[in-house]
Amino acid sequence: MRKVVISVLGTDRPGIVAAVSRILGENHCNIENATQTILQTEFAAIFIARMPKDLETDDLLSRLRRGLKSLGLHAFLKSMETLPDFPSPPESEPFVITTTGPDRQGLISGITEIMARFRANITNLKALYRKNTDSTERTTVIIYEVDVPVQIDHQAFRQALRDRADDLGLDLSIQHRDIFEAIHRV
């Protein structure tokens, strides 16, 4: 079984996913996972696809690049590594951590450094910037979905995040994902 990871980048427009999936289908590749997003005007997607045995990765990449060139898209491809001895992740619980405050450099690195120190794994990250209506300043809202190992000192984790958020001038909230989803469902 050969799998490849394909990333596609470019200016957003209708038809990108259709074009990528058409090319993969024409080459008998089965898409197993896909995710895509739009950041401002830029499209970004990652696909994991199973390849037929008789297709070389260089040939598939060449066909993707040729087929996506007219849309102004860039494609990259790597073989997916098989890690038979990959350790199981530690038992964890999902949390949603949100920071809000004035936009400036170092916000994401400041908060994620604390997460890394406590071995919390970011599973999804979204950063939104808004220009304030009454000034030229921008406000940033960053939402981290994080798997937090159950064996860490949760009180110390929360306090370290709050201390760092204070240093960065950010408001911070931490909620178990179940609570976050229940609150935002209402």
Side-chain angles (χ1 to χ4, degrees), residues 13-42:
R13 67 182 65 200
I16 295 174
V17 174
V20 173
S21 59
R22 178 186 49 78
I23 294 167
L24 292 175
E26 288 171 352
N27 287 282
H28 308 288
C29 295
N30 183 40
I31 299 172
E32 293 187 344
N33 294 100
T35 185
Q36 69 120 98
T37 192
I38 299 166
L39 300 174
Q40 297 182 16
T41 60
E42 295 300 307

Side-chain angles (χ1 to χ4, degrees), residues 134-169:
D134 56 345
S135 74
T136 58
E137 293 184 10
R138 297 189 321 165
T139 296
T140 179
V141 178
I142 306 172
I143 303 167
Y144 306 87
E145 293 182 40
V146 181
D147 286 341
V148 179
V150 294
Q151 78 274 11
I152 69 163
D153 181 341
H154 281 250
Q155 190 170 2
F157 178 60
R158 288 172 182 263
Q159 190 59 52
L161 284 171
R162 286 194 175 98
D163 289 347
R164 182 60 57 86
D166 286 345
D167 292 345
L168 295 169

Side-chain angles (χ1 to χ4, degrees), residues 31-135:
I31 299 172
E32 293 187 344
N33 294 100
T35 185
Q36 69 120 98
T37 192
I38 299 166
L39 300 174
Q40 297 182 16
T41 60
E42 295 300 307
F43 172 93
I46 300 173
F47 301 84
I48 293 178
R50 186 186 313 246
M51 292 181 49
K53 291 179 182 172
D54 60 344
L55 178 62
E56 297 297 326
T57 55
D58 289 343
D59 292 336
L60 178 59
L61 179 58
S62 176
R63 292 170 190 172
L64 280 164
R65 287 181 171 168
R66 191 173 43 249
L68 299 174
K69 186 176 182 179
S70 65
L71 294 173
L73 298 170
H74 304 275
F76 305 91
L77 183 149
K78 74 178 258 318
S79 295
M80 191 166 169
E81 297 177 29
T82 303
L83 301 172
D85 297 327
F86 188 73
S88 298
E91 185 180 354
S92 61
E93 291 187 77
F95 283 81
V96 177
I97 298 169
T98 305
T99 60
T100 306
D103 181 31
R104 66 184 176 106
Q105 290 183 348
L107 299 180
I108 293 176
S109 65
I111 295 297
T112 58
E113 185 274 325
I114 300 295
M115 295 176 185
R117 188 181 336 148
F118 284 86
R119 305 199 55 79
N121 188 36
I122 299 169
T123 58
N124 199 6
L125 167 65
K126 186 169 231 175
L128 307 168
Y129 298 92
R130 290 186 228 135
K131 185 177 177 186
N132 298 337
T133 56
D134 56 345
S135 74

